[in-house]
Amino acid sequence: MITDTRPLLDPDAVGTAQTSIARVVDALRRVILGKEDTIDEVVAALLGRGHVLLEGLPGLGKTELVKALSRLLSIDFRRIQFTPDLLPTDITGSHILQEVDGRKEFAFHAGPVFTNLLLADEINRASPKTQAALLEAMQERRVTIFGETRPLPFPFFVLATQNPIELEGTYPLPEAQLDRFMFKVDVAGVDRAVLEEILTTRVHGEPPALTPVLDAAGLQRLFDAVDAVHMPRAVANYTSRLVAATHPESSDAPPQVRQFVKYGSSPRGAIAIGAAARGLALMRGKPNVGFDEIRRVAPAALSHRLVLDYSARLEGWTGRRLLGALLEAVPDVERGLPQTLEART
Amino acid sequence: MVGDNSVRLADDSTVPADRVPASLIPIVRRFSRRLRIGLFLDAFPQWAAGALLAAGCAALVCRLFVPAADPYLFWLLAAPALAILPASVLSIRRAYRPEEVLAIVDALTGGDGAVLTLAERHDQAWSHASQISRAAHAALPRFRPWRRLTIVVPALAFLVIALLLPRRTPAAGPSPIADDVVSGLSATLKELQSHDLVTPEEEKQLQQEIERVRKAAEERMDASAWEAADAVKEKMAANAAAKRDAASWAQEALARYSAAGGSTGNPDAASAKAELSKALEALARSGALVGVPMDIQKMLADGKLPGDAAALGKLAAALGQYLGDVQSRLGEVQGFGGRASRFDPSEFAAAGEGEGDGAGAGNTPGRGGITRGRADAKLTYGQESLPAERFKAQALPPGYVRSPDDWAPVVNMPGAPIVAPEASGRAAARAYADDAGQAAFRRTLAPRHQSAVKKYFKP
């Protein structure tokens, strides 16, 4: 058995990282009011170097969140508004015939994908061919055009948004595309108190001005710290049991999963949970991942990776709801207490 | 602690002590101990219930079929103690591994993975983290064994009910009756023994026969059992009678021999001596010499009777006294004294109408028929049944026959046929058709029945 012998992060390093992350989070919370959970999930995914799909109704601040994040991180930011007539080369770039020194030759013009933070707005409005142009970029972090493979800058994040309504003329993301996203974050509406605060503190809804709190080097240090967060074997065991239980044929799968899920999560889901949980642990000032971090990130990491049966829609079961049932069914520790012992709450 | 470097957990495996913060060692130990007890309590109820059920079945069987085991049955209440061993073995085999214990400790005490992390990665820098101190002071899980132990209750109730079942009393068999059948025989045998009237061989043989009769009576109790007992009793009576006869003969022979003087020249003495020798041999064969005194035994030891008058007189006196004693002892035996066989002479004492010699009621003969009496009673003649002439013919008074013309009707009942000679036979048949069954005769048969009726009458 290969054992991880690296030392734990020292408390100072953890404290420094937590402070940096907290600055980003606090700034985001000033911009997007009443979306603490959404912000935590997006930041945790970024720390895990994953892509995020934001799904919510129009006007809930999805785009504003991404824009605020780009300003805070002081990294290159591009935005693509996906439309049905968008072509793959509009994303990746293409070779253009131009005259150089009296002779004509093809010169490569990089597309908007060559950036650090890409906002793919309303990604489901582009054709599948165009959506597929992002597949290699998201997974391999490189783009191949006319046989030439070009690496994307580091870091590279895709934060996509999509609208769950107005589905006419849209192209739902295929499973392979969805699987590339570390998280699918459901952006919910805001309550009355938040609206009241928006009205009293914002003029025309304009967010407060932001100044960068983290540069690329600082982000790299954060990534290094995230990589050094320890995941105990029992916690990894819990994660693996959780992901395995998303498959209806698994013996640990709860009845709801067996009834409503056609295909469970891929191993990429477990990897996503591990990466995001490390980021979340660092955000909480811990040198290790605990069971609670896994429980916190699992719904966002797994809900879009479940292929649901048609009956699930009829019965009103969504991926998030199924994940709730899954988290209740799978115990933290594989072998729990004897039946004659009862834990004190 | 094992040595100085490890913490012993649920089984033999250990976790290096320097891997677990010192503040966590007590809680990990207590958790480990409690988990072991919990595993035992998980396994024990099923085994205890099984042991109690088995004990209940054993108690039930013993109550029904093995009454001798009753004093020991309450030890079965200790059956659950037997379940301790398999439950212990199971709990040891299912013991938690150290990493499992640590995972449980971490999950239940809010360790947030810190306990696990410090166990996997030694880092003193984090040993005072809030999660660690929270885990060190966490409450242990509490025992809840009662729900598991409820399965023991029915099994225990079953055992208690089995123990409280009333003991099964064996049904009254033939044994008391069989004992009653042979009780008279046994009493008579004891009486003979007390009077020295039975030899050891006879005693052994009689005891065997009595036992055989008793067993036969146990197997099948009917008239044959009583007949077998009577046969043995008759045999005992016959032996006693043989002794009595032999003693009488010996007394008579001794008297004659004494009267002859024992002189060798006297022919009567010689014949008396020979008779006495035969009588003594018969006496010995009958077993009447069992309790003979030593002096007589010495005198009879060489098989020769003393020739001198003094010795003869002494022998005659001693032998006569002994024989008289034997006679008196035989007379004292109550078992068959007056009723040595099934034949009871007293029953016929009142019917002594025969011409017997008057020696006793037992010699009174019967008068024929099934109550003819004893077979050895003397036959008597002259009291036969009354002659047939007693039944003389008696002439009955003569009868008479009334004249057929001497009659007159007493009354005419309604419906009685009126004799009308002038009417034709056909008209009379019509008039009395209903009474004569014509209605049934004329009834029209359904076509489907006609064939059946024809077939009945003309097969």
Short mmCIF file of all heavy atoms in Angstrom, two decimals, chain A residues 4-46:
data_model
loop_
_atom_site.label_atom_id
_atom_site.label_comp_id
_atom_site.label_asym_id
_atom_site.label_seq_id
_atom_site.Cartn_x
_atom_site.Cartn_y
_atom_site.Cartn_z
N ASP A 4 0.97 8.07 2.03
CA ASP A 4 1.37 9.46 1.84
C ASP A 4 2.20 9.88 3.05
O ASP A 4 1.70 9.92 4.17
CB ASP A 4 0.11 10.32 1.72
CG ASP A 4 0.46 11.74 1.29
OD1 ASP A 4 1.66 12.03 1.14
OD2 ASP A 4 -0.47 12.53 1.10
N THR A 5 3.43 10.14 2.81
CA THR A 5 4.32 10.48 3.93
C THR A 5 4.64 11.97 3.99
O THR A 5 5.49 12.39 4.76
CB THR A 5 5.63 9.70 3.81
OG1 THR A 5 6.22 9.98 2.55
CG2 THR A 5 5.38 8.21 3.94
N ARG A 6 3.97 12.73 3.18
CA ARG A 6 4.26 14.16 3.20
C ARG A 6 3.80 14.75 4.54
O ARG A 6 2.80 14.30 5.11
CB ARG A 6 3.51 14.87 2.07
CG ARG A 6 4.04 14.55 0.68
CD ARG A 6 3.20 15.22 -0.36
NE ARG A 6 1.82 14.76 -0.28
CZ ARG A 6 0.81 15.34 -0.92
NH1 ARG A 6 1.03 16.40 -1.66
NH2 ARG A 6 -0.41 14.86 -0.83
N PRO A 7 4.52 15.76 5.02
CA PRO A 7 4.10 16.36 6.29
C PRO A 7 2.83 17.16 6.11
O PRO A 7 2.50 17.62 4.99
CB PRO A 7 5.29 17.24 6.66
CG PRO A 7 5.94 17.55 5.36
CD PRO A 7 5.75 16.35 4.50
N LEU A 8 2.15 17.33 7.21
CA LEU A 8 0.94 18.14 7.17
C LEU A 8 1.31 19.61 6.99
O LEU A 8 2.44 20.03 7.29
CB LEU A 8 0.16 17.98 8.48
CG LEU A 8 -0.59 16.68 8.70
CD1 LEU A 8 -1.27 16.71 10.06
CD2 LEU A 8 -1.62 16.46 7.61
N LEU A 9 0.38 20.35 6.48
CA LEU A 9 0.58 21.80 6.43
C LEU A 9 0.75 22.32 7.85
O LEU A 9 0.03 21.89 8.76
CB LEU A 9 -0.65 22.46 5.79
CG LEU A 9 -0.81 22.30 4.28
CD1 LEU A 9 -2.18 22.82 3.89
CD2 LEU A 9 0.27 23.05 3.54
N ASP A 10 1.65 23.23 8.00
CA ASP A 10 1.79 23.76 9.35
C ASP A 10 0.68 24.79 9.59
O ASP A 10 0.09 25.34 8.64
CB ASP A 10 3.17 24.39 9.55
CG ASP A 10 3.41 25.51 8.58
OD1 ASP A 10 3.01 26.64 8.90
OD2 ASP A 10 3.97 25.23 7.49
N PRO A 11 0.38 25.05 10.83
CA PRO A 11 -0.74 25.94 11.14
C PRO A 11 -0.58 27.33 10.52
O PRO A 11 -1.58 27.94 10.11
CB PRO A 11 -0.70 26.01 12.66
CG PRO A 11 -0.08 24.72 13.08
CD PRO A 11 0.92 24.41 12.03
N ASP A 12 0.64 27.82 10.42
CA ASP A 12 0.82 29.14 9.83
C ASP A 12 0.43 29.16 8.37
O ASP A 12 -0.25 30.09 7.89
CB ASP A 12 2.28 29.59 9.98
CG ASP A 12 2.62 29.85 11.43
OD1 ASP A 12 1.66 30.09 12.22
OD2 ASP A 12 3.81 29.79 11.78
N ALA A 13 0.86 28.13 7.65
CA ALA A 13 0.53 28.06 6.22
C ALA A 13 -0.97 27.96 6.03
O ALA A 13 -1.54 28.60 5.14
CB ALA A 13 1.25 26.88 5.59
N VAL A 14 -1.57 27.16 6.87
CA VAL A 14 -3.03 27.02 6.78
C VAL A 14 -3.70 28.36 7.09
O VAL A 14 -4.65 28.77 6.40
CB VAL A 14 -3.53 25.91 7.73
CG1 VAL A 14 -5.05 25.89 7.79
CG2 VAL A 14 -3.02 24.56 7.27
N GLY A 15 -3.19 29.03 8.10
CA GLY A 15 -3.78 30.31 8.46
C GLY A 15 -3.65 31.32 7.34
O GLY A 15 -4.60 32.07 7.04
N THR A 16 -2.49 31.36 6.72
CA THR A 16 -2.28 32.30 5.62
C THR A 16 -3.23 32.00 4.47
O THR A 16 -3.86 32.93 3.90
CB THR A 16 -0.82 32.20 5.14
OG1 THR A 16 0.05 32.41 6.25
CG2 THR A 16 -0.54 33.23 4.05
N ALA A 17 -3.31 30.73 4.13
CA ALA A 17 -4.19 30.34 3.02
C ALA A 17 -5.63 30.66 3.36
O ALA A 17 -6.39 31.17 2.51
CB ALA A 17 -4.02 28.85 2.73
N GLN A 18 -6.02 30.39 4.58
CA GLN A 18 -7.41 30.65 4.96
C GLN A 18 -7.72 32.15 4.88
O GLN A 18 -8.80 32.55 4.44
CB GLN A 18 -7.65 30.14 6.39
CG GLN A 18 -9.11 30.19 6.80
CD GLN A 18 -9.31 29.82 8.25
OE1 GLN A 18 -8.36 29.80 9.03
NE2 GLN A 18 -10.55 29.53 8.62
N THR A 19 -6.72 32.96 5.27
CA THR A 19 -6.94 34.40 5.20
C THR A 19 -7.11 34.86 3.76
O THR A 19 -8.01 35.67 3.44
CB THR A 19 -5.74 35.12 5.84
OG1 THR A 19 -5.56 34.62 7.16
CG2 THR A 19 -5.97 36.62 5.91
N SER A 20 -6.28 34.35 2.87
CA SER A 20 -6.38 34.74 1.46
C SER A 20 -7.73 34.34 0.90
O SER A 20 -8.39 35.12 0.20
CB SER A 20 -5.26 34.06 0.66
OG SER A 20 -4.00 34.45 1.17
N ILE A 21 -8.12 33.15 1.21
CA ILE A 21 -9.41 32.68 0.68
C ILE A 21 -10.54 33.49 1.28
O ILE A 21 -11.51 33.85 0.59
CB ILE A 21 -9.59 31.18 1.00
CG1 ILE A 21 -8.50 30.35 0.32
CG2 ILE A 21 -10.96 30.70 0.56
CD1 ILE A 21 -8.42 28.92 0.79
N ALA A 22 -10.41 33.77 2.56
CA ALA A 22 -11.48 34.53 3.22
C ALA A 22 -11.64 35.90 2.59
O ALA A 22 -12.76 36.42 2.49
CB ALA A 22 -11.17 34.65 4.71
N ARG A 23 -10.51 36.51 2.17
CA ARG A 23 -10.63 37.83 1.51
C ARG A 23 -11.45 37.72 0.24
O ARG A 23 -12.31 38.56 -0.05
CB ARG A 23 -9.22 38.38 1.20
CG ARG A 23 -8.53 38.99 2.43
CD ARG A 23 -7.50 40.02 1.98
NE ARG A 23 -6.45 39.44 1.18
CZ ARG A 23 -5.30 38.99 1.69
NH1 ARG A 23 -5.07 39.06 2.98
NH2 ARG A 23 -4.39 38.48 0.89
N VAL A 24 -11.20 36.69 -0.54
CA VAL A 24 -11.96 36.49 -1.78
C VAL A 24 -13.43 36.25 -1.46
O VAL A 24 -14.33 36.85 -2.06
CB VAL A 24 -11.37 35.30 -2.58
CG1 VAL A 24 -12.23 35.02 -3.81
CG2 VAL A 24 -9.94 35.58 -2.97
N VAL A 25 -13.65 35.38 -0.51
CA VAL A 25 -15.03 35.01 -0.17
C VAL A 25 -15.78 36.22 0.37
O VAL A 25 -16.94 36.48 -0.02
CB VAL A 25 -15.03 33.85 0.85
CG1 VAL A 25 -16.43 33.59 1.37
CG2 VAL A 25 -14.47 32.59 0.21
N ASP A 26 -15.13 36.97 1.25
CA ASP A 26 -15.82 38.13 1.82
C ASP A 26 -16.16 39.14 0.74
O ASP A 26 -17.26 39.73 0.75
CB ASP A 26 -14.93 38.79 2.88
CG ASP A 26 -14.81 37.92 4.12
OD1 ASP A 26 -15.67 37.00 4.25
OD2 ASP A 26 -13.90 38.13 4.93
N ALA A 27 -15.22 39.34 -0.19
CA ALA A 27 -15.49 40.28 -1.26
C ALA A 27 -16.65 39.81 -2.13
O ALA A 27 -17.52 40.60 -2.52
CB ALA A 27 -14.23 40.46 -2.11
N LEU A 28 -16.68 38.51 -2.41
CA LEU A 28 -17.79 37.96 -3.21
C LEU A 28 -19.11 38.11 -2.48
O LEU A 28 -20.15 38.39 -3.09
CB LEU A 28 -17.52 36.49 -3.54
CG LEU A 28 -16.43 36.23 -4.60
CD1 LEU A 28 -16.17 34.74 -4.72
CD2 LEU A 28 -16.86 36.80 -5.95
N ARG A 29 -19.07 37.95 -1.18
CA ARG A 29 -20.31 38.06 -0.42
C ARG A 29 -20.80 39.51 -0.38
O ARG A 29 -22.00 39.74 -0.20
CB ARG A 29 -20.09 37.54 1.00
CG ARG A 29 -20.01 36.02 1.04
CD ARG A 29 -19.76 35.51 2.43
NE ARG A 29 -19.71 34.05 2.43
CZ ARG A 29 -19.43 33.31 3.49
NH1 ARG A 29 -19.13 33.91 4.64
NH2 ARG A 29 -19.41 32.01 3.41
N ARG A 30 -19.85 40.44 -0.53
CA ARG A 30 -20.30 41.83 -0.60
C ARG A 30 -20.97 42.13 -1.95
O ARG A 30 -21.87 42.95 -2.03
CB ARG A 30 -19.09 42.76 -0.42
CG ARG A 30 -18.63 42.89 1.03
CD ARG A 30 -17.86 44.18 1.22
NE ARG A 30 -16.79 44.37 0.27
CZ ARG A 30 -15.55 43.85 0.38
NH1 ARG A 30 -15.26 43.08 1.42
NH2 ARG A 30 -14.64 44.09 -0.53
N VAL A 31 -20.51 41.41 -2.96
CA VAL A 31 -21.07 41.65 -4.29
C VAL A 31 -22.40 40.90 -4.45
O VAL A 31 -23.40 41.47 -4.89
CB VAL A 31 -20.07 41.20 -5.38
CG1 VAL A 31 -20.71 41.30 -6.76
CG2 VAL A 31 -18.81 42.04 -5.31
N ILE A 32 -22.39 39.64 -4.14
CA ILE A 32 -23.57 38.80 -4.30
C ILE A 32 -24.16 38.59 -2.91
O ILE A 32 -23.61 37.84 -2.10
CB ILE A 32 -23.23 37.45 -4.95
CG1 ILE A 32 -22.42 37.66 -6.23
CG2 ILE A 32 -24.49 36.65 -5.22
CD1 ILE A 32 -23.16 38.40 -7.32
N LEU A 33 -25.25 39.20 -2.65
CA LEU A 33 -25.84 39.13 -1.33
C LEU A 33 -26.72 37.88 -1.20
O LEU A 33 -27.44 37.51 -2.14
CB LEU A 33 -26.66 40.38 -1.06
CG LEU A 33 -25.89 41.71 -1.09
CD1 LEU A 33 -26.84 42.88 -0.91
CD2 LEU A 33 -24.81 41.74 -0.01
N GLY A 34 -26.63 37.27 -0.03
CA GLY A 34 -27.52 36.13 0.26
C GLY A 34 -27.19 34.88 -0.49
O GLY A 34 -28.04 34.00 -0.65
N LYS A 35 -25.99 34.76 -0.98
CA LYS A 35 -25.62 33.55 -1.74
C LYS A 35 -24.36 32.93 -1.13
O LYS A 35 -23.44 32.54 -1.85
CB LYS A 35 -25.34 33.91 -3.21
CG LYS A 35 -26.56 34.37 -3.99
CD LYS A 35 -27.39 33.16 -4.38
CE LYS A 35 -28.51 33.55 -5.32
NZ LYS A 35 -29.48 34.48 -4.72
N GLU A 36 -24.35 32.80 0.19
CA GLU A 36 -23.14 32.31 0.85
C GLU A 36 -22.79 30.90 0.40
O GLU A 36 -21.62 30.60 0.11
CB GLU A 36 -23.32 32.34 2.37
CG GLU A 36 -23.29 33.73 2.98
CD GLU A 36 -24.62 34.46 2.81
OE1 GLU A 36 -25.58 33.81 2.35
OE2 GLU A 36 -24.70 35.65 3.12
N ASP A 37 -23.79 30.06 0.34
CA ASP A 37 -23.52 28.67 -0.05
C ASP A 37 -23.00 28.58 -1.48
O ASP A 37 -22.06 27.84 -1.78
CB ASP A 37 -24.79 27.83 0.09
CG ASP A 37 -25.15 27.61 1.55
OD1 ASP A 37 -24.29 27.90 2.42
OD2 ASP A 37 -26.28 27.19 1.81
N THR A 38 -23.62 29.34 -2.36
CA THR A 38 -23.19 29.32 -3.76
C THR A 38 -21.74 29.80 -3.87
O THR A 38 -20.92 29.21 -4.59
CB THR A 38 -24.12 30.23 -4.60
OG1 THR A 38 -25.46 29.79 -4.41
CG2 THR A 38 -23.75 30.18 -6.06
N ILE A 39 -21.44 30.88 -3.14
CA ILE A 39 -20.07 31.42 -3.19
C ILE A 39 -19.08 30.40 -2.65
O ILE A 39 -18.00 30.19 -3.25
CB ILE A 39 -20.03 32.74 -2.39
CG1 ILE A 39 -20.85 33.80 -3.13
CG2 ILE A 39 -18.60 33.20 -2.18
CD1 ILE A 39 -21.11 35.05 -2.32
N ASP A 40 -19.42 29.78 -1.53
CA ASP A 40 -18.52 28.76 -0.96
C ASP A 40 -18.25 27.64 -1.97
O ASP A 40 -17.12 27.18 -2.12
CB ASP A 40 -19.12 28.18 0.31
CG ASP A 40 -19.06 29.16 1.47
OD1 ASP A 40 -18.39 30.21 1.32
OD2 ASP A 40 -19.68 28.88 2.51
N GLU A 41 -19.30 27.20 -2.64
CA GLU A 41 -19.14 26.10 -3.59
C GLU A 41 -18.27 26.53 -4.78
O GLU A 41 -17.40 25.77 -5.23
CB GLU A 41 -20.51 25.61 -4.07
CG GLU A 41 -21.27 24.84 -2.99
CD GLU A 41 -22.66 24.42 -3.43
OE1 GLU A 41 -23.06 24.76 -4.56
OE2 GLU A 41 -23.34 23.75 -2.64
N VAL A 42 -18.50 27.74 -5.27
CA VAL A 42 -17.72 28.20 -6.42
C VAL A 42 -16.25 28.35 -6.03
O VAL A 42 -15.33 27.91 -6.77
CB VAL A 42 -18.29 29.54 -6.94
CG1 VAL A 42 -17.34 30.17 -7.96
CG2 VAL A 42 -19.66 29.32 -7.57
N VAL A 43 -16.00 28.91 -4.86
CA VAL A 43 -14.61 29.09 -4.43
C VAL A 43 -13.95 27.74 -4.19
O VAL A 43 -12.77 27.52 -4.54
CB VAL A 43 -14.56 29.99 -3.18
CG1 VAL A 43 -13.14 30.05 -2.63
CG2 VAL A 43 -15.05 31.38 -3.52
N ALA A 44 -14.69 26.82 -3.56
CA ALA A 44 -14.13 25.49 -3.32
C ALA A 44 -13.78 24.81 -4.63
O ALA A 44 -12.73 24.16 -4.75
CB ALA A 44 -15.12 24.64 -2.53
N ALA A 45 -14.64 24.97 -5.64
CA ALA A 45 -14.35 24.37 -6.95
C ALA A 45 -13.13 25.02 -7.59
O ALA A 45 -12.30 24.35 -8.21
CB ALA A 45 -15.56 24.52 -7.86
N LEU A 46 -13.02 26.34 -7.45
CA LEU A 46 -11.85 27.03 -8.01
C LEU A 46 -10.58 26.55 -7.33
O LEU A 46 -9.55 26.33 -7.99
CB LEU A 46 -11.99 28.54 -7.85
CG LEU A 46 -12.95 29.23 -8.82
CD1 LEU A 46 -12.98 30.71 -8.56
CD2 LEU A 46 -12.51 28.95 -10.25
#
